[in-house]
Amino acid sequence: MELVRVARRLGLSTVVASYDDAERALPQDMRRHVDTLIRVDPNDEAELTERIVRFHEHSPLIGIVPGVESYVAVAARLAARLGLPGQPVATAEALRDKSTMRDRVRAAGLRVPRYALVTDGAMLDAAAEHVGFPAVLKPVASSGSVQVSRVDDAEQLRLAYQRILEDRRPDDVGQFLDGRVLLEQYLPGPDLSVEGYVVDGRVEVVSLTKKFVGPEPHFVEVGHVVQFEMDQDRRDAIESYVAAVCEALGVVLGPFHCELRLVDGEPVLVELGARLAGGRIVAMIELVTGLSLWEIMLAAHAGWAVGPGNDAGPPQAKFAGIHMFTAPGLSAVGEVRGLERVRSADYVREAEVYLRPGDQIPEFGDFRSRIGHALFVADSYEQAVARKAEIEAMVHFG
């Protein structure tokens, strides 16, 4: 949504391809920023391509931007078809397949967790023997922590695998799990993500973001702080590792979101996406650095200059954070207590609950478990962590 708003602010004419119906309808506050709406199911790539090519013939496009992770490879194929800037198709396709991604990074001599691709239940035992326990089971081509879980023994592995096979729910863009999974070594250590962009073959890191994850066996992201504070030598080592990962994967332009765990102080790849980070991380980066990754995304895919000219203004805070509201164990939203208190805090910039009283709460386990958020600023990393905890304690769902 913010990409469309920023595009209009930059004077671009916006063309949005969307299913635009039922649970995939465009939000009302987004529609006023859309110049042309092409109603098509983006999951039908043949129809999408035909519609976009036909539109381009009479109204030439200057760039194709993926709105979410699921369409990174689709956007790359469309851009290649139309001769527009974009990630190499092979790169984009590798980024959408966690097994291929690890193959390429490992081949470059970089540290990755032990892993095994599983395409049939008969492969589970061999995968477990190779990877060992504890381990993490995850779909090969999904996102948002959907059906990602820690497994500590063979029985938990079989049950988790069965849950993936039985999951018939579409995600937020109407896609379904395809049954392919990755079993990988469990990585003990702090979670973080690295946000940046690639321009002229150079990797520019703009943020090390501390991630807060809910209780295992799930890996629901329940908060972030920008920036993650650490000594310069460790930061340099992380940035060097991420630059090498980008090179190994062939990422050549635009923003990236790289998720890592620090194992004994060393970075180990979880995954990398050639897209903007979710969870309002981009907004927090703008508050702290003054840099607009939304502008950089648009500029990169339009073939414009990328760099300092994409500043949105002076920094507004030293640190920024977000707390995601969740309600494990509740099936429906009751009375929401404490939200107004959060909104009245002078350090809070946004605070909302997405559901109304009586609405059903998805079972705790992935991004759908997050039912609201509060975005805030702070003067230090320690203060940001403390404020996240304060906000969490203020709000209760009855």
Side-chain angles (χ1 to χ4, degrees), residues 34-95:
V34 177
D35 293 303
T36 303
L37 174 60
I38 299 177
R39 286 188 172 86
V40 60
D41 188 348
N43 299 324
D44 183 346
E45 190 169 344
E47 176 67 15
L48 173 69
T49 301
E50 181 182 341
R51 297 284 297 278
I52 295 298
V53 168
R54 195 159 64 234
F55 181 91
H56 181 69
E57 288 173 350
H58 64 79
S59 299
L61 299 164
I62 64 169
I64 305 283
V65 180
V68 293
E69 168 71 23
S70 301
Y71 301 127
V72 166
V74 176
R77 289 189 287 267
L78 282 169
R81 171 75 178 264
L82 300 180
L84 299 174
Q87 295 293 348
V89 171
T91 292
E93 291 175 346
L95 293 174

Side-chain angles (χ1 to χ4, degrees), residues 280-396:
R280 299 294 283 151
I281 291 174
V282 177
M284 292 188 286
I285 288 172
E286 187 171 306
L287 281 170
V288 172
T289 70
L291 188 71
S292 173
L293 284 174
W294 290 300
E295 285 194 19
I296 287 175
M297 180 85 162
L298 293 164
H301 286 267
W304 296 352
V306 172
N310 303 114
D311 291 344
Q316 302 296 310
K318 294 179 180 178
F319 292 82
I322 192 168
H323 174 71
M324 301 291 186
F325 298 122
T326 60
L330 283 184
S331 60
V333 177
E335 179 186 5
V336 181
R337 301 186 303 277
L339 186 62
E340 290 308 317
R341 183 183 171 198
V342 171
R343 287 173 173 160
S344 67
D346 60 5
Y347 56 83
V348 172
R349 296 293 179 268
E350 302 172 3
E352 61 178 303
V353 172
Y354 315 140
L355 304 180
R356 297 171 296 180
D359 285 349
Q360 296 297 302
I361 299 175
E363 182 181 359
F364 188 82
D366 58 46
F367 75 98
R368 289 168 286 207
S369 310
R370 306 188 305 199
I371 59 177
H373 77 268
L375 190 153
F376 56 91
V377 296
D379 291 327
S380 69
Y381 176 78
E382 292 77 12
Q383 186 182 60
V385 173
R387 285 180 170 174
K388 180 188 177 301
E390 289 171 6
I391 290 168
E392 181 178 14
M394 286 184 199
V395 177
H396 303 275

Side-chain angles (χ1 to χ4, degrees), residues 120-291:
D120 182 272
M123 302 171 67
L124 285 177
D125 289 342
E129 183 176 352
H130 172 67
V131 172
F133 293 109
V136 177
L137 188 70
K138 59 180 65 174
V140 167
S142 188
S143 59
S145 302
V146 172
Q147 290 293 358
V148 179
S149 63
R150 171 174 167 157
V151 292
D152 292 331
D153 54 43
E155 179 62 19
Q156 289 183 10
L157 173 57
R158 284 191 289 271
L159 290 174
Y161 180 67
Q162 193 62 34
R163 284 195 297 271
I164 291 175
L165 295 183
E166 293 174 353
D167 191 344
R168 299 291 187 266
R169 299 172 299 168
D171 64 14
D172 55 337
V173 295
Q175 295 185 0
F176 297 85
L177 301 178
D178 64 7
R180 295 179 304 136
V181 301
L182 194 72
L183 185 69
E184 65 181 23
Q185 174 189 8
Y186 175 82
L187 301 174
D191 279 281
L192 72 151
S193 64
V194 180
E195 275 66 56
Y197 60 93
V198 181
V199 56
D200 298 329
R202 185 178 71 255
V203 173
E204 296 285 349
V205 171
V206 301
S207 173
L208 268 60
T209 304
K210 177 67 176 76
K211 295 169 55 180
F212 296 84
V213 178
E216 296 178 1
H218 307 294
F219 295 88
V220 180
E221 294 180 12
V222 295
H224 310 280
V225 169
V226 174
Q227 306 254 1
F228 193 3
E229 206 163 55
M230 62 180 62
D231 64 77
Q232 191 61 48
D233 287 346
R234 183 169 294 183
R235 183 184 179 98
D236 289 346
I238 291 170
E239 292 188 9
S240 295
Y241 175 85
V242 170
V245 168
C246 288
E247 182 178 0
L249 293 171
V251 178
V252 299
L253 90 168
F256 61 80
H257 170 66
C258 184
E259 298 183 358
L260 308 170
R261 272 202 169 186
L262 297 182
V263 181
D264 298 326
E266 293 186 12
V268 183
L269 180 70
V270 175
E271 61 186 56
L272 183 142
R275 57 169 176 85
L276 295 174
R280 299 294 283 151
I281 291 174
V282 177
M284 292 188 286
I285 288 172
E286 187 171 306
L287 281 170
V288 172
T289 70
L291 188 71

